[in-house]
Amino acid sequence: MTTMSKTDIQIAICGSAGDGTIAAGDILRNAVAAAGYRVIGFDVYPPEIRGFGKCISRLRISTDQSYSLKRHSDVLLSLDDSQALPHAGEVRDMGAVIFESQPIAPCQEGEHMSARVLPGQIPYAFSMRELSQQATGGGRARNLVALGIIAGLLGLTPDPFRAIIARKFGKQGPEIVARSLAGFQAGFDGATRTFKLDDVFFSPPGQADTAQRVIMLSGNAAVARGCLDAELDTFFGYPITPATSIMERLAAELPKHGRRLLQTEDEIAAIAATIGAGYAGARAATATSGPGLALMSEMLGLATITETPCVVFVSQRGGPSTGMPTKTEQSDLNAALYGSPGDACRIVIAPTNVEGCYRCAGKAFEMAERYQTPVIVLLDLYLSNRYETVTLDESDHAFVLDANKPLPRLEPGETYRRYALTEDGVSPRAVPGDAGHMHVITGLEHNELGRPDDSETMHAAMSRKRHDKLQAALRHPEFAVTRRFGATGRVKVGLLAWGSTFGECLEAMFMAQAQNIPCAALKVVMLSPFPVREVASFMDDCDQVLVPEINHEGQFAQLVQGTLARPVTRLSRVPGSPMPVELILNEIRRLAQG
Amino acid sequence: MSIPIKPVFVDEKLREVQESGRLAYRSHALPTWCPGCGYFAIVEGLTHACNAMNLPRDQTAVVSGIGCSSRFPFFVDLYGFHTLHGRALPVATGIKTANDRLTVIAVGGDGDGFAIGGGHIAHAAKRNVDITYLLFDNGIYGLTKGQTSPTSAVGLRTSTSPFDNPERPLNPLLMLLSYGVSWLGQAYAGRPDHLRGMIADAIAHRGFSYLHILSPCVTFDKTSRTYVNLGLQVREIPEGHDPTDLMAAMRLAQDTDQPALGLFYHQKRPTLGDTFDEIAARARAKTAPATD
Ligand SMILES: Cc1ncc(C[n+]2csc(CCOP(=O)(O)OP(=O)(O)O)c2C)c(N)n1
Ligand code: SF4
Ligand SMILES: [Mg+2]
């Protein structure tokens, strides 16, 4: 994806919990974004809050937006060698490995980074602790010294760093700001005095990217923003990694608009209240992860049968059960699609990048209200927590949220039919407070009036209504249920992917194209109802279809095969981390030869 | 609470009911309950109360779980949501959060409230969400045809405890008081006049009000909570009981041999809606641009 004149640099900062690794990564990504570069970043941290777990903040900085992290970093900065040693190998030839020259405790032989730098890599030893001591009178600004070193060594202008440091520490008072700035400056000066041997260079950011319109968001922050722009009224939630930060952001933002957020006693209550609020006519949502989704399954069926709009954001993590709370996975697809007893159809959409998180969040409310259905937005830890620079066009903010059909005027003596059988399967919806339209909704099978009715004809008619009305979602306005990238026409290998893994697929596809392999990729954003036509016509064009996903069972591959009865090649892995691009590329090459 | 001395004539009674206006609150659906079930008195009690309070029908929602008792919303002409077993309270909380202007009444059985849905009561009470919860306690699972419930008496023989129920029943009143309920009362389906007054008072309370209604299941409990037994057991709240005295209410709640009917406890404190408003005011104050 990169040409010589363009920037494409990946930096990894690694340390122990408490070293300020993640904070340093946060400042760095915001500084380079402010300078006009595009960024994608992902932090890995231990499940324990305290202790000595490993923290890594990786970010890829480029002129054009990239779609995933690279396997090789250009720069590794170690704040703690005991954690960073295994990562020395990820630095490319002629890349920089920066480490502490004076560790706090004596090191065993071979346990210092200097012993692990590979031939070809360029080592830089700095006494970060000493620099911090001299500049600030303590060792706590070591991570800021490290940032200064990165900026100085790579030739980044220090101004955006200073501005962001001042903003980040502003709350803690002018003394802390001054100390932090001094730490940064000490590192910066130290690096500019150092003779540069690596070949990691920034070229100026692209002209087109006016830094003002580009903002840095995590996937969860983008979801929260989408909710706010869609004028979410009420949110109910129960904390769970990696979905919690959606709730935390909304907890701070919703009340500013006079809107309401309630932390409930469990996920059953969260979805129950969401459905209650939806029934009462409010725009309502909840957010959870796999274990919470399991608890919500009975309630989601109630939303389906009562045709009550509600939105559930599900950020997947490693499973089953409590599984791997801080590792990413795409193994809740089946639960999202099928996880309720009965023929409990619903809409399931999955964004593939941070910008998609924003759009899918807003669109989910449009769909929930227009088709009177629960909508699940499937994210995963990698997508929830990764940062990207996104351009939110002003016109993008217009989610169309006036989907409710006008209520029919009732003749005297006429009873309102909540579930009137209509052409498109969607019945005009009254909510409590609407004069004269009193009715009861129920989880029992019912007739048009909403009264219990378990006759064969009624159950068949209502089942059809609930399923058929969702088909319109496949043509939902201004929403691409699938999107094709890469070569047009016939290709050797077609990549079929969903969710966060699509980014890695795209990178792999571009690499394969550069190796003259005709290939294309289809991202599938709508998973239920399934875009049969679009997927089938894409597969028509492909000699081979490869489905990479982060789960063991190949849940999406099964969905495709089950729906279309056509063979695909699975690439199912459960590393707890994003799918390595090289792995996908190797599969593409193998299939292209076959 | 007295035995009528004046004879009641059907035509007179019908006219009285018709003229009262409370039929407007009844739906056309015929109750599906067994003849003699205590629940009939509760539905009549609610229509009386709504009528007496002149509640606008389209501003009132009845939310239920699953059970014989939870069929209730179909028999009144109000907005209604027949939800899932045990989940009336969180759904009702969502409705009230979405629209403060609605009068929200949750109803359900003893199994619905204290077995499967037991986890929700404490939180509804502690949040003081401004809804009314009418709990129909027949000490048995009616809808599923007579199994043991969390309020079944020790020794009750049911289809799932053929060797007699060995477990002590819960004490719902004591639980609610310790959860921080802001209005607590008890009534009996066999005392309909008293019951309707209690329902009206519970609805009128601003905050979470809990009315425990003792009610016989005439089909599946022929020995324990019958009209005869309950009629002999219940008594009025002792004169001089101070309903603002939590300890007195707790002492009263401990007498399960002679359940007292009436208002046990009430307290004035901010509702969930009040706290939402306060949070919104604080959030706005924090973000308001400084004026000078
Ligand atoms: C999740 C779930 N589990 C079990 C049931 C079956 N079920 C329906 S009602 C009920 C018990 C009803 O007892 P109670 O709440 O006391 O109401 P009553 O019928 O006595 O009024 C049970 C177990 C169900 N509907 N849903
Ligand atoms: S089974 Fe019992 S609780 Fe249910 S309707 Fe009949 S008498 Fe009433
Ligand atoms: Mg019962």
Side-chain angles (χ1 to χ4, degrees):
Chain A
M1 258 309 281
T2 51
T3 59
M4 292 308 285
S5 66
K6 289 185 171 176
T7 302
D8 185 8
I9 294 170
Q10 181 164 306
I11 300 173
I13 306 173
C14 182
S16 274
D19 282 335
T21 312
I22 305 294
D26 183 49
I27 296 168
L28 179 56
R29 67 178 159 248
N30 280 294
V32 291
Y37 296 99
R38 307 293 298 208
V39 177
I40 179 167
F42 184 54
D43 300 337
V44 180
Y45 36 86
E48 303 81 16
I49 300 299
R50 288 187 177 273
F52 300 96
K54 177 187 294 186
C55 296
I56 314 177
S57 182
R58 285 197 186 84
L59 61 157
R60 181 174 177 182
I61 305 155
S62 50
T63 313
D64 302 320
Q65 183 68 48
S66 46
Y67 304 101
S68 73
L69 291 174
K70 301 192 285 186
R71 179 162 154 209
H72 291 292
S73 292
D74 300 276
V75 176
L76 169 70
L77 188 140
S78 164
L79 286 168
D80 182 344
D81 288 0
S82 68
Q83 304 291 2
L85 285 185
H87 299 284
E90 81 176 50
V91 177
R92 68 165 171 85
D93 249 19
M94 294 304 286
V97 180
I98 307 164
F99 50 88
E100 176 69 63
S101 63
Q102 289 178 335
I104 196 159
C107 271
Q108 300 277 327
E109 197 177 323
E111 283 182 8
H112 189 243
M113 190 59 91
S114 58
R116 294 295 181 92
V117 178
L118 301 172
Q121 295 173 343
I122 311 297
Y124 294 97
F126 284 93
S127 176
M128 294 184 254
R129 192 174 310 282
E130 218 170 77
L131 285 171
S132 173
Q133 290 276 6
Q134 285 164 2
T136 71
R140 291 200 51 196
R142 219 161 63 90
N143 62 337
L144 289 150
V145 172
L147 272 180
I149 291 171
I150 291 174
L153 207 55
L154 304 185
L156 288 162
T157 55
D159 291 346
F161 284 89
R162 292 193 184 117
I164 282 154
I165 290 167
R167 179 146 35 95
K168 192 174 171 93
F169 296 102
K171 263 200 210 125
Q172 296 175 42
E175 221 168 281
I176 302 283
V177 172
R179 207 188 299 164
S180 304
L181 286 172
F184 174 80
Q185 196 60 43
F188 189 81
D189 294 343
T192 44
R193 283 196 302 268
T194 300
F195 191 65
K196 183 176 166 78
L197 283 168
D198 63 79
D199 69 353
V200 185
F201 290 102
F202 276 89
S203 37
Q207 281 296 328
D209 284 330
T210 49
Q212 291 83 355
R213 264 176 54 237
V214 176
I215 55 167
M216 169 87 57
L217 287 177
S218 70
N220 278 357
V223 164
R225 205 168 167 127
C227 288
L228 292 168
D229 283 354
E231 302 189 342
L232 175 70
D233 294 307
T234 55
F235 184 95
F236 304 89
Y238 189 80
I240 184 169
T241 304
T244 311
S245 62
I246 297 174
M247 180 171 170
E248 288 170 338
R249 274 172 189 274
L250 290 173
E253 291 302 318
L254 281 175
K256 292 181 193 163
H257 307 273
R259 308 210 173 100
R260 297 173 164 189
L261 178 138
L262 183 68
Q263 179 173 330
T264 55
E265 56 272 27
D266 57 29
E267 286 89 346
I268 299 176
I271 183 69
T274 302
I275 293 170
Y279 164 65
R283 197 157 294 138
T286 181
T288 188
S289 185
L293 176 63
L295 289 179
M296 291 181 182
S297 62
E298 190 191 13
M299 267 290 161
L300 282 166
L302 180 69
T304 295
I305 198 170
T306 58
E307 306 192 38
T308 305
C310 60
V311 172
V312 183
F313 298 99
V314 179
S315 183
Q316 304 162 93
R317 59 193 217 183
S321 189
T322 310
M324 307 192 291
T326 60
K327 296 288 180 73
T328 197
E329 205 158 280
Q330 295 179 285
S331 52
D332 294 337
L333 175 61
N334 284 346
L337 293 172
Y338 314 119
S340 289
D343 291 323
C345 54
R346 52 203 181 211
I347 292 176
V348 180
I349 54 178
T352 61
N353 56 24
V354 171
E355 203 161 314
C357 289
Y358 171 78
R359 283 195 61 74
C360 281
K363 287 283 170 185
F365 294 103
E366 281 186 15
M367 293 180 197
E369 285 168 29
R370 178 167 305 206
Y371 311 113
Q372 300 181 9
T373 175
V375 177
I376 293 179
V377 183
L378 258 186
L379 318 160
D380 57 52
L381 183 140
Y382 173 39
L383 188 51
S384 282
N385 288 356
R386 86 183 191 204
Y387 288 85
E388 283 178 41
T389 37
V390 293
T391 318
L392 296 185
D393 196 358
E394 281 303 313
S395 63
D396 262 1
H397 291 217
F399 296 119
V400 185
L401 289 150
D402 54 357
N404 283 339
K405 286 186 176 182
L407 284 176
R409 272 255 312 271
L410 299 177
E411 299 300 322
E414 188 188 348
T415 312
Y416 165 65
R417 292 177 303 144
R418 167 66 187 91
Y419 300 105
L421 294 167
T422 60
E423 188 84 355
D424 60 5
V426 179
S427 321
R429 187 167 78 101
V431 300
D434 284 336
H437 286 74
M438 284 80 66
H439 63 279
V440 179
I441 67 171
T442 171
L444 290 167
E445 187 59 288
H446 45 255
N447 59 21
E448 289 183 273
L449 293 168
R451 308 253 167 86
D453 185 340
D454 58 4
S455 66
E456 184 185 338
T457 46
M458 197 50 74
H459 184 44
M462 286 295 165
S463 295
R464 217 177 307 118
K465 174 188 199 287
R466 290 189 288 265
H467 286 82
D468 290 356
K469 69 174 181 179
L470 297 189
Q471 287 299 312
L474 288 167
R475 298 175 304 280
H476 191 82
E478 294 185 44
F479 188 80
V481 294
T482 64
R483 193 166 154 208
R484 180 173 171 156
F485 293 79
T488 52
R490 192 128 205 104
V491 291
K492 272 230 150 96
V493 182
L495 291 159
L496 200 52
W498 68 286
S500 66
T501 302
F502 189 75
E504 280 69 37
C505 289
L506 218 44
E507 288 284 338
M509 187 201 73
F510 286 126
M511 287 163 129
Q513 282 187 319
Q515 297 174 15
N516 291 322
I517 302 173
C519 68
L522 189 75
K523 85 166 162 187
V524 183
V525 179
M526 187 165 285
L527 300 157
S528 169
F530 192 70
V532 174
R533 234 190 26 222
E534 290 83 349
V535 175
S537 85
F538 174 73
M539 289 175 81
D540 286 342
D541 278 352
C542 308
D543 292 346
Q544 303 277 346
V545 174
L546 178 66
V547 181
E549 56 189 319
I550 309 283
N551 59 49
H552 183 76
E553 295 176 349
Q555 296 183 7
F556 181 61
Q558 271 175 353
L559 174 66
V560 173
Q561 287 179 320
T563 314
L564 300 174
R566 293 200 202 179
V568 300
T569 301
R570 297 178 187 196
L571 179 58
S572 302
R573 292 287 187 282
V574 281
S577 52
M579 179 86 73
V581 174
E582 279 69 17
L583 200 60
I584 306 173
L585 181 62
N586 286 343
E587 277 300 291
I588 297 174
R589 284 217 297 258
R590 193 178 65 78
L591 291 173
Q593 279 157 16
Chain B
M1 294 209 185
S2 55
I3 298 159
I5 17 179
K6 201 173 72 135
V8 178
F9 297 103
V10 173
D11 55 339
E12 276 176 19
K13 196 76 199 166
L14 280 177
R15 198 168 340 111
E16 184 196 312
V17 169
Q18 215 121 48
E19 281 167 5
S20 72
R22 76 183 165 89
L23 283 186
Y25 292 91
R26 272 291 295 270
S27 76
H28 294 297
L30 277 180
T32 43
W33 298 314
C34 310
C37 177
Y39 298 167
F40 286 98
I42 308 177
V43 91
E44 294 316 313
L46 183 72
T47 59
H48 260 295
C50 289
N51 192 37
M53 301 173 82
N54 206 7
L55 284 184
R57 286 183 298 144
D58 43 31
Q59 297 287 342
T60 308
V62 180
V63 187
S64 67
I66 299 291
C68 290
S69 37
S70 291
R71 282 291 180 118
F72 194 92
F74 293 107
F75 313 133
V76 288
D77 194 16
L78 304 166
Y79 276 97
F81 197 164
H82 178 234
T83 70
L84 294 180
H85 196 25
R87 312 301 167 201
L89 285 180
V91 173
T93 301
I95 294 172
K96 189 70 185 180
T97 300
N99 185 351
D100 277 325
R101 294 179 306 279
L102 298 174
T103 299
V104 181
I105 301 161
V107 303
D110 41 313
D112 196 73
F114 287 98
I116 192 165
H120 302 304
I121 301 180
H123 301 273
K126 108 187 217 294
R127 288 180 191 126
N128 201 27
V129 50
D130 183 16
I131 62 178
T132 296
Y133 188 21
L134 307 178
L135 192 120
F136 305 6
D137 183 8
N138 57 8
I140 202 139
Y141 285 8
L143 189 71
T144 46
K145 299 191 166 39
Q147 298 80 23
T148 304
S149 105
T151 58
S152 293
V154 177
L156 184 71
R157 182 165 300 182
T158 74
S159 59
T160 48
S161 45
F163 301 104
D164 305 344
N165 176 30
E167 295 179 24
R168 294 162 40 125
L170 292 177
N171 185 330
L173 299 180
L174 211 45
M175 288 167 79
L176 265 292
L177 287 168
S178 60
Y179 292 159
V181 69
S182 66
W183 189 100
L184 181 86
Q186 182 157 254
Y188 166 41
R191 299 274 165 87
D193 295 348
H194 176 252
L195 170 64
R196 68 177 73 141
M198 290 300 287
I199 293 178
D201 289 353
I203 295 173
H205 174 72
R206 201 170 172 282
F208 184 69
S209 48
Y210 175 88
L211 180 62
H212 194 81
I213 307 171
L214 301 166
S215 179
C217 170
V218 294
T219 305
F220 294 110
D221 173 11
K222 311 271 190 203
T223 59
S224 170
R225 210 169 286 202
T226 61
Y227 282 109
V228 172
N229 288 351
L230 281 173
L232 291 170
Q233 287 161 4
V234 295
R235 57 168 175 145
E236 276 174 68
I237 289 254
E239 209 147 312
H241 171 68
D242 174 7
T244 62
D245 181 345
L246 182 62
M247 294 316 287
M250 286 187 153
R251 269 192 304 277
L252 205 53
Q254 284 175 50
D255 185 358
T256 49
D257 292 337
Q258 285 189 296
L261 306 182
L263 176 64
F264 278 59
Y265 180 69
H266 71 95
Q267 179 199 39
K268 256 203 198 113
R269 67 168 207 266
T271 65
L272 179 64
D274 294 338
T275 53
F276 280 135
D277 290 345
E278 197 207 312
I279 288 167
R282 283 178 55 191
R284 282 185 170 132
K286 213 170 135 188
T287 48
T291 47
D292 40 329

